[in-house]
Amino acid sequence: SVYDLVIEELATERRVTRFNFPGFGASTGPIGESIEDYANLIVGAMDELSIPRDTDLLANGFGGFVAGTMAINHGDRFKKLVLVDTGPGFPESAKEPVRVLARKSVSEGMSSVLDAAILRMFPEDFIAHNQRGGTSTKKTLRGTEIFD
């Protein structure tokens, strides 16, 4: 994940718990279709793991939308919220390039879209200075299967 390059440093000063939503990473399992379903899933996992209420929550991308929903519906469940690379919405015009990548990955395989996918996830200067992260991310994405 995008946290692979910083997780060790974060863990030197904090207890770190990482969650993958169903369908992300190697996670599986049922989930509803709403952001609230994802937020409730994470809050339930935090409760199950006895993660304390003074926990700081760091989230990016889609996880940022979920974390924002957690703040609205379960704001007493954590102390601080840090959102990274999370926009307030995903406009329709921005969805079409992602749809093009999805269609191409289904018809030609994930390898055909890896460079474009990496560029959508990371700024060019980050990629240039973190070749290990880009290579690791490509390796992970190459093994991802796309389903209709």
Side-chain angles (χ1 to χ4, degrees):
S1 86
V2 295
Y3 296 108
D4 289 344
L5 297 176
V6 297
I7 199 74
E8 288 180 31
E9 186 173 339
L10 287 172
T12 62
E13 297 184 22
R14 299 179 177 276
R15 173 184 170 191
V16 175
T17 305
R18 294 168 58 176
F19 294 101
N20 275 335
F21 299 123
F24 289 75
S27 295
T28 61
I31 185 72
E33 295 183 10
S34 72
I35 297 294
E36 288 82 5
D37 292 329
Y38 285 87
N40 293 336
L41 176 76
I42 297 303
V43 169
M46 290 172 69
D47 291 342
E48 186 69 26
L49 294 170
S50 299
I51 294 176
R53 292 182 181 275
D54 65 346
T55 293
D56 297 334
L57 181 62
L58 170 67
N60 79 302
F62 176 72
F65 290 100
V66 174
T69 302
M70 289 171 62
I72 293 167
N73 297 326
H74 307 281
D76 64 336
R77 193 55 195 83
F78 53 91
K79 183 177 177 182
K80 294 179 185 175
L81 174 61
V82 179
L83 299 177
V84 179
D85 195 23
T86 301
F90 201 62
E92 191 60 37
S93 62
K95 293 179 184 178
E96 188 54 29
V98 176
R99 290 181 181 125
V100 169
L101 287 175
R103 287 191 296 269
K104 187 172 181 180
S105 69
V106 169
S107 65
E108 300 176 30
M110 195 62 166
S111 293
S112 69
V113 299
L114 285 179
D115 289 332
I118 295 295
L119 285 172
R120 290 194 62 84
M121 290 188 287
F122 303 105
E124 288 185 36
D125 60 331
F126 178 87
I127 295 168
H129 292 94
N130 295 281
Q131 291 299 316
R132 185 184 72 144
T135 302
S136 174
T137 302
K138 282 184 180 182
K139 182 179 178 185
T140 300
L141 291 173
R142 191 172 285 115
T144 303
E145 294 182 37
I146 304 296
F147 299 97
D148 289 329

